[in-house]
Amino acid sequence: MSRWLAALMALLLLFPGGALAIDLVVSDPVVEPCPADDSAAQSDLKRPVGASCYALRGLVSNPGKRPVVDTDVFAQIIDGSGEPALANRTRVGSIGDVPPGDSPFALRLSIPAGTPGPFSVNKARARGFNAPVRTRAGVEDELLPLEQDLSS
């Protein structure tokens, strides 16, 4: 009995179940202000302290034949003075599932008000999985209004 248990444990260690991480290439990343009519945009005149709304847009490439799921985007956002605009933070958001090929994406960023622009993006990359690692939205679930605003 113990030989079978040892063999089973060895197989589980050699061939773990679960999702495997997949790295994707992000190209043409740009940070731009959210549109004035965006529901998350905050005017600096109305709120002098807090955060300003920006969108990180770009193209993510999935060279595989299957979708990559639960994809996170990582990047370093640099302000006009050469300092990180989002200190101690490289994960900038999640873009969900990425089908094979090139796909445009957009993420909303909250950058501290008064941070000098223009902004540049360094070390942009994406990482997802070959199987879901988060609770999945149902087929009938709709995008949140903020997600709908950025997808257009």
Side-chain angles (χ1 to χ4, degrees):
M1 178 74 171
S2 64
R3 270 195 292 174
W4 289 106
L5 184 59
L8 178 62
M9 298 223 8
L11 280 174
L12 288 175
L13 289 173
L14 290 174
F15 302 103
L20 297 175
I22 300 166
D23 290 317
L24 303 175
V25 175
V26 172
S27 56
D28 304 324
V30 63
V31 176
E32 54 193 35
C34 292
D37 61 346
D38 188 341
S39 56
Q42 299 177 2
S43 169
D44 288 335
L45 297 175
K46 292 181 192 171
R47 187 176 260 173
V49 294
S52 298
C53 181
Y54 287 87
L56 171 65
R57 295 179 187 276
L59 194 67
V60 63
S61 298
N62 175 1
K65 294 181 178 164
R66 296 182 47 191
V68 175
V69 299
D70 295 337
T71 305
D72 290 328
V73 175
F74 300 86
Q76 189 177 43
I77 310 298
I78 304 298
D79 69 16
S81 67
E83 296 294 321
L86 304 171
N88 301 320
R89 182 175 154 202
T90 57
R91 181 190 173 275
V92 293
S94 176
I95 55 173
D97 299 350
V98 178
D102 294 339
S103 301
F105 73 90
L107 290 170
R108 182 171 281 117
L109 302 175
S110 293
I111 295 180
T115 303
F119 298 101
S120 60
V121 182
N122 290 340
K123 302 176 186 173
R125 65 182 179 86
R127 185 170 221 181
F129 298 90
N130 66 344
V133 294
R134 297 181 182 135
T135 303
R136 308 297 290 175
V139 173
E140 300 296 319
D141 292 342
E142 295 182 24
L143 291 175
L144 296 171
L146 299 176
E147 294 170 324
Q148 292 172 358
D149 288 347
L150 276 180
S151 64
S152 57

